[in-house]
Amino acid sequence: MKKLVSSFYDTKTMAGRCLLLTKRNPDMILTSFVAPVLMMILFVYVLGGAMNVGSTSYVNYIVPGIILQSLGQCATTTAISVSTDIKTGIIDRFCTMPIKKSAILSGHLWESFARNGLTTALVVAVAFLVGFRPEANFAGWLVAILILCLYIQTISWCSIFFGIIAKSPEGAGAFSVFAIVLPYISSGFVPTDTMPKALRIFAEHQPMTPIIDTLRDALQGKALQADIALTAMLWCVFLLAAFYVLSVRAFQRKY
């Protein structure tokens, strides 16, 4: 029990440090908070008038995709932060101190979760201002929040891993491009049946599409499609477990 309490406070300290660094870095604030808002406005007001997504409004349709795309941008910030800590040697100093080594990565995870959560709330708030009108009941909002929490942890561990293995902070940022691009090649912004056949097959079988479809159904008060919701959960759990193990092993090899 004493070890758990000690680990908790070590992680809390590391997370507080990461949050303080984010607060003092204008580039991170721009990437995590300003860019997602601009993306929402761009898609709704510049591209939305030309899009046909059926009976629902375009803003209602794209909110899940914008959220995941924004979280991909935030993943870049986490990867760069981890890589910067490694490059500057601060982690070497942490490893000589009487703290749990696991708290170093957990601190980045907590900071990433808090920043991603704030980014998601900001995107949803702006979406309401530009016409987003969800019809979800309490259960629908609960499902959406649970899926997002699981996805945030998944994307956070992905970015932590890329930050560890990258040769430089710039390289760490480049690794995260996949998390930014994949929501575009999904059902996030246009129905997949409007895509060319090869691209449609990829879009329908990559992780982002079932996650986005589940979020969209939950937020619009529709009955969840069990197979799609289960696929979304399995993708998140599988990627979360895989990148957690990869991150821990990569960190242990370095330290």
Side-chain angles (χ1 to χ4, degrees):
M1 185 64 181
K2 185 177 180 180
K3 290 183 178 180
L4 288 176
V5 173
S6 176
S7 179
F8 172 81
Y9 281 107
D10 289 345
T11 299
K12 181 181 176 182
T13 301
M14 291 293 104
R17 168 188 171 271
C18 293
L19 285 169
L20 186 61
L21 290 174
T22 298
K23 181 181 177 181
R24 293 177 176 177
N25 191 329
D27 292 340
M28 291 185 179
I29 293 175
L30 180 66
T31 301
S32 298
F33 304 120
V34 178
V37 171
L38 294 179
M39 289 297 297
M40 173 64 72
I41 295 173
L42 171 67
F43 272 91
V44 173
Y45 289 119
V46 178
L47 304 178
M51 298 295 184
N52 180 12
V53 291
S55 59
T56 188
S57 67
Y58 190 60
V59 63
N60 283 348
Y61 186 86
I62 66 167
V63 165
I66 290 288
I67 291 174
L68 263 63
Q69 192 272 338
S70 299
L71 295 178
Q73 291 178 327
C74 289
T76 301
T77 299
T78 302
I80 292 174
S81 180
V82 172
S83 182
T84 300
D85 279 355
I86 293 173
K87 185 177 181 181
T88 58
I90 190 65
I91 293 183
D92 292 293
R93 294 185 64 185
F94 288 152
C95 289
T96 65
M97 298 171 66
I99 62 172
K100 297 285 186 180
K101 287 186 178 181
S102 60
I104 299 172
L105 296 185
S106 298
H108 280 285
L109 177 68
W110 283 25
E111 185 274 340
S112 177
F113 192 90
R115 178 165 39 80
N116 279 304
L118 183 57
T119 298
T120 301
L122 182 61
V123 168
V124 173
V126 173
F128 272 105
L129 293 177
V130 298
F132 178 51
R133 297 296 180 266
E135 299 180 10
N137 53 21
F138 176 79
W141 280 108
L142 184 60
V143 169
I145 291 171
L146 289 175
I147 288 289
L148 283 172
C149 287
L150 186 58
Y151 180 77
I152 288 173
Q153 292 188 67
T154 301
I155 198 69
S156 296
W157 278 114
C158 291
S159 58
I160 288 171
F161 172 69
F162 289 133
I164 293 171
I165 67 171
K167 301 299 182 181
S168 67
E170 293 77 13
F175 278 126
S176 299
V177 71
F178 298 105
I180 299 174
V181 172
L182 282 178
Y184 289 113
I185 314 174
S186 71
S187 62
F189 298 93
V190 294
T192 56
D193 56 15
T194 64
M195 300 178 181
K197 185 176 181 180
L199 194 60
R200 183 177 72 248
I201 293 173
F202 173 79
E204 290 175 348
H205 294 86
Q206 60 120 324
M208 300 297 177
T209 293
I211 297 172
I212 288 172
D213 288 346
T214 301
L215 282 173
R216 185 178 292 125
D217 288 343
L219 291 174
Q220 293 307 313
K222 298 179 181 179
L224 295 181
Q225 302 178 60
D227 56 336
I228 295 178
L230 180 60
T231 302
M233 294 288 290
L234 289 176
W235 267 119
C236 287
V237 171
F238 170 74
L239 292 174
L240 172 60
F243 279 99
Y244 168 76
V245 172
L246 289 172
S247 298
V248 171
R249 289 183 176 178
F251 188 77
Q252 289 175 342
R253 284 196 296 269
K254 281 183 176 290
Y255 302 100

